[in-house]
Amino acid sequence: MKWRALEDDWCPVARTLSLVGERWTLLILRDCLLGETRFEAFARSTGATRHIIADRLKRLVAAGLLEQKPYQQRPVRYDYILTERGRELAPALETFRAWGRTHLPIRRSARPNATE
């Protein structure tokens, strides 16, 4: 079964995963919840390729989780803003964050020591 075939599944968890369960998508939503809005910021933060970021943003806009607002005309560039529907995912992402902090603690410094 292909991943996107889940969008018609009887299970709401499966349908939700078909939209936000692909690699990088939740990280883009995380960044949006933290106030990021620009393509380059998503690419820098996630480390995903430009092609993947573009694909995920297109899917999130089509699903109504993000909306595009142009900030530059030539070439046209957009801010990606969470819709109300997208903001409703915040508690789920907070649950992932809390679970990760509890069960997957950082085993190395998150930031290199400035004195090293």
Side-chain angles (χ1 to χ4, degrees):
M1 175 183 289
K2 291 187 176 182
W3 189 246
R4 291 191 183 176
L6 294 174
E7 60 194 18
D8 295 324
D9 196 276
W10 65 270
C11 175
V13 173
R15 289 192 311 273
T16 301
L17 283 175
S18 76
L19 177 61
V20 300
E22 291 180 324
R23 189 173 179 188
W24 310 117
T25 303
L26 286 176
L27 297 179
I28 291 170
L29 292 170
R30 172 206 63 192
D31 288 352
C32 288
L33 287 163
L34 293 172
E36 295 292 351
T37 61
R38 304 257 168 110
F39 184 98
E40 293 300 328
F42 301 136
R44 188 173 44 255
S45 173
T46 65
T49 66
R50 297 178 66 77
H51 172 76
I52 289 172
I53 296 295
D55 177 69
R56 299 310 189 268
L57 289 171
K58 184 188 297 185
R59 289 197 71 215
L60 291 168
V61 168
L65 298 179
L66 296 177
E67 64 179 310
Q68 290 178 309
K69 292 190 177 183
Y71 70 87
Q72 178 178 311
Q73 294 304 317
R74 290 194 178 174
V76 177
R77 294 190 178 170
Y78 299 97
D79 281 319
Y80 292 89
I81 310 297
L82 283 167
T83 63
E84 180 60 33
R85 187 175 184 180
R87 285 189 298 276
E88 288 178 10
L89 286 168
L93 287 169
E94 176 56 32
T95 298
F96 273 104
R97 186 177 73 79
W99 189 91
R101 280 187 172 170
T102 300
H103 299 289
L104 303 171
I106 295 173
R107 304 221 187 273
R108 59 176 172 73
S109 175
R111 283 189 255 173
N113 188 335
T115 61
E116 292 181 348

PDB file of all heavy atoms in Angstrom, residues 3 14-15 45 50 53 67 72 88 97 99 112:
ATOM      1  N   TRP A   3       1.800   5.145   0.731  1.00  0.00           N
ATOM      2  CA  TRP A   3       1.547   6.001   1.890  1.00  0.00           C
ATOM      3  C   TRP A   3       0.327   6.887   1.679  1.00  0.00           C
ATOM      4  O   TRP A   3      -0.517   7.013   2.552  1.00  0.00           O
ATOM      5  CB  TRP A   3       2.796   6.846   2.136  1.00  0.00           C
ATOM      6  CG  TRP A   3       2.768   7.606   3.413  1.00  0.00           C
ATOM      7  CD1 TRP A   3       2.718   8.948   3.543  1.00  0.00           C
ATOM      8  CD2 TRP A   3       2.792   7.091   4.741  1.00  0.00           C
ATOM      9  NE1 TRP A   3       2.722   9.306   4.866  1.00  0.00           N
ATOM     10  CE2 TRP A   3       2.768   8.177   5.624  1.00  0.00           C
ATOM     11  CE3 TRP A   3       2.828   5.803   5.267  1.00  0.00           C
ATOM     12  CZ2 TRP A   3       2.780   8.025   6.998  1.00  0.00           C
ATOM     13  CZ3 TRP A   3       2.845   5.657   6.637  1.00  0.00           C
ATOM     14  CH2 TRP A   3       2.819   6.760   7.480  1.00  0.00           C
ATOM     15  N   ALA A  14      -4.702   7.069  10.537  1.00  0.00           N
ATOM     16  CA  ALA A  14      -4.088   6.772   9.245  1.00  0.00           C
ATOM     17  C   ALA A  14      -4.274   7.937   8.278  1.00  0.00           C
ATOM     18  O   ALA A  14      -3.337   8.315   7.566  1.00  0.00           O
ATOM     19  CB  ALA A  14      -4.679   5.491   8.659  1.00  0.00           C
ATOM     20  N   ARG A  15      -5.475   8.520   8.255  1.00  0.00           N
ATOM     21  CA  ARG A  15      -5.724   9.659   7.356  1.00  0.00           C
ATOM     22  C   ARG A  15      -4.849  10.852   7.737  1.00  0.00           C
ATOM     23  O   ARG A  15      -4.297  11.535   6.873  1.00  0.00           O
ATOM     24  CB  ARG A  15      -7.195  10.048   7.380  1.00  0.00           C
ATOM     25  CG  ARG A  15      -8.093   9.026   6.691  1.00  0.00           C
ATOM     26  CD  ARG A  15      -9.503   9.541   6.464  1.00  0.00           C
ATOM     27  NE  ARG A  15     -10.133  10.135   7.625  1.00  0.00           N
ATOM     28  CZ  ARG A  15     -10.829   9.462   8.554  1.00  0.00           C
ATOM     29  NH1 ARG A  15     -10.960   8.139   8.456  1.00  0.00           N
ATOM     30  NH2 ARG A  15     -11.391  10.087   9.569  1.00  0.00           N
ATOM     31  N   SER A  45      16.640  24.874   8.632  1.00  0.00           N
ATOM     32  CA  SER A  45      16.309  24.254   9.903  1.00  0.00           C
ATOM     33  C   SER A  45      16.212  22.736   9.811  1.00  0.00           C
ATOM     34  O   SER A  45      16.679  22.029  10.694  1.00  0.00           O
ATOM     35  CB  SER A  45      14.985  24.822  10.413  1.00  0.00           C
ATOM     36  OG  SER A  45      14.555  24.125  11.553  1.00  0.00           O
ATOM     37  N   ARG A  50      15.737  21.203  -1.267  1.00  0.00           N
ATOM     38  CA  ARG A  50      14.777  22.204  -1.761  1.00  0.00           C
ATOM     39  C   ARG A  50      13.562  21.529  -2.390  1.00  0.00           C
ATOM     40  O   ARG A  50      12.447  21.980  -2.223  1.00  0.00           O
ATOM     41  CB  ARG A  50      15.464  23.139  -2.747  1.00  0.00           C
ATOM     42  CG  ARG A  50      16.596  23.939  -2.122  1.00  0.00           C
ATOM     43  CD  ARG A  50      17.307  24.832  -3.109  1.00  0.00           C
ATOM     44  NE  ARG A  50      16.465  25.886  -3.620  1.00  0.00           N
ATOM     45  CZ  ARG A  50      16.134  27.005  -2.970  1.00  0.00           C
ATOM     46  NH1 ARG A  50      16.610  27.213  -1.761  1.00  0.00           N
ATOM     47  NH2 ARG A  50      15.343  27.908  -3.517  1.00  0.00           N
ATOM     48  N   ILE A  53      11.299  20.265   0.438  1.00  0.00           N
ATOM     49  CA  ILE A  53      10.613  21.380   1.100  1.00  0.00           C
ATOM     50  C   ILE A  53       9.485  21.891   0.206  1.00  0.00           C
ATOM     51  O   ILE A  53       8.357  22.104   0.669  1.00  0.00           O
ATOM     52  CB  ILE A  53      11.601  22.519   1.447  1.00  0.00           C
ATOM     53  CG1 ILE A  53      12.645  22.049   2.458  1.00  0.00           C
ATOM     54  CG2 ILE A  53      10.857  23.754   1.961  1.00  0.00           C
ATOM     55  CD1 ILE A  53      12.116  21.694   3.817  1.00  0.00           C
ATOM     56  N   GLU A  67      -1.123  28.772   4.429  1.00  0.00           N
ATOM     57  CA  GLU A  67      -1.508  29.627   3.310  1.00  0.00           C
ATOM     58  C   GLU A  67      -0.281  30.402   2.850  1.00  0.00           C
ATOM     59  O   GLU A  67       0.617  30.681   3.635  1.00  0.00           O
ATOM     60  CB  GLU A  67      -2.653  30.567   3.676  1.00  0.00           C
ATOM     61  CG  GLU A  67      -2.326  31.561   4.749  1.00  0.00           C
ATOM     62  CD  GLU A  67      -3.495  32.481   5.056  1.00  0.00           C
ATOM     63  OE1 GLU A  67      -4.075  33.048   4.118  1.00  0.00           O
ATOM     64  OE2 GLU A  67      -3.819  32.612   6.246  1.00  0.00           O
ATOM     65  N   GLN A  72       7.391  39.041  -2.090  1.00  0.00           N
ATOM     66  CA  GLN A  72       8.257  39.584  -3.134  1.00  0.00           C
ATOM     67  C   GLN A  72       7.624  39.232  -4.471  1.00  0.00           C
ATOM     68  O   GLN A  72       7.112  38.126  -4.652  1.00  0.00           O
ATOM     69  CB  GLN A  72       9.649  38.946  -3.015  1.00  0.00           C
ATOM     70  CG  GLN A  72      10.629  39.389  -4.067  1.00  0.00           C
ATOM     71  CD  GLN A  72      11.990  38.741  -3.853  1.00  0.00           C
ATOM     72  OE1 GLN A  72      12.518  38.754  -2.753  1.00  0.00           O
ATOM     73  NE2 GLN A  72      12.546  38.177  -4.905  1.00  0.00           N
ATOM     74  N   GLU A  88      -4.202  24.056  14.909  1.00  0.00           N
ATOM     75  CA  GLU A  88      -4.826  23.029  15.743  1.00  0.00           C
ATOM     76  C   GLU A  88      -3.923  21.813  15.956  1.00  0.00           C
ATOM     77  O   GLU A  88      -4.182  20.997  16.837  1.00  0.00           O
ATOM     78  CB  GLU A  88      -6.162  22.595  15.145  1.00  0.00           C
ATOM     79  CG  GLU A  88      -7.241  23.649  15.283  1.00  0.00           C
ATOM     80  CD  GLU A  88      -8.554  23.235  14.638  1.00  0.00           C
ATOM     81  OE1 GLU A  88      -8.709  22.062  14.242  1.00  0.00           O
ATOM     82  OE2 GLU A  88      -9.441  24.106  14.533  1.00  0.00           O
ATOM     83  N   ARG A  97       7.027  16.669  21.506  1.00  0.00           N
ATOM     84  CA  ARG A  97       8.172  17.327  22.151  1.00  0.00           C
ATOM     85  C   ARG A  97       8.347  16.835  23.583  1.00  0.00           C
ATOM     86  O   ARG A  97       9.452  16.476  24.001  1.00  0.00           O
ATOM     87  CB  ARG A  97       7.991  18.847  22.133  1.00  0.00           C
ATOM     88  CG  ARG A  97       9.199  19.606  22.661  1.00  0.00           C
ATOM     89  CD  ARG A  97       9.001  21.099  22.565  1.00  0.00           C
ATOM     90  NE  ARG A  97       8.060  21.620  23.531  1.00  0.00           N
ATOM     91  CZ  ARG A  97       8.351  21.854  24.824  1.00  0.00           C
ATOM     92  NH1 ARG A  97       9.553  21.629  25.269  1.00  0.00           N
ATOM     93  NH2 ARG A  97       7.441  22.326  25.632  1.00  0.00           N
ATOM     94  N   TRP A  99       7.215  14.060  24.959  1.00  0.00           N
ATOM     95  CA  TRP A  99       7.585  12.648  24.970  1.00  0.00           C
ATOM     96  C   TRP A  99       9.064  12.493  24.637  1.00  0.00           C
ATOM     97  O   TRP A  99       9.784  11.724  25.281  1.00  0.00           O
ATOM     98  CB  TRP A  99       6.715  11.879  23.977  1.00  0.00           C
ATOM     99  CG  TRP A  99       6.892  10.399  24.091  1.00  0.00           C
ATOM    100  CD1 TRP A  99       6.176   9.541  24.866  1.00  0.00           C
ATOM    101  CD2 TRP A  99       7.871   9.596  23.405  1.00  0.00           C
ATOM    102  NE1 TRP A  99       6.652   8.264  24.713  1.00  0.00           N
ATOM    103  CE2 TRP A  99       7.690   8.267  23.816  1.00  0.00           C
ATOM    104  CE3 TRP A  99       8.882   9.874  22.495  1.00  0.00           C
ATOM    105  CZ2 TRP A  99       8.475   7.221  23.342  1.00  0.00           C
ATOM    106  CZ3 TRP A  99       9.667   8.834  22.018  1.00  0.00           C
ATOM    107  CH2 TRP A  99       9.458   7.526  22.439  1.00  0.00           C
ATOM    108  N   PRO A 112      27.598  23.147  20.219  1.00  0.00           N
ATOM    109  CA  PRO A 112      29.027  23.002  20.522  1.00  0.00           C
ATOM    110  C   PRO A 112      29.454  24.014  21.579  1.00  0.00           C
ATOM    111  O   PRO A 112      28.963  25.142  21.594  1.00  0.00           O
ATOM    112  CB  PRO A 112      29.721  23.278  19.196  1.00  0.00           C
ATOM    113  CG  PRO A 112      28.670  23.453  18.173  1.00  0.00           C
ATOM    114  CD  PRO A 112      27.338  23.518  18.857  1.00  0.00           C
TER     115      PRO A 112
END
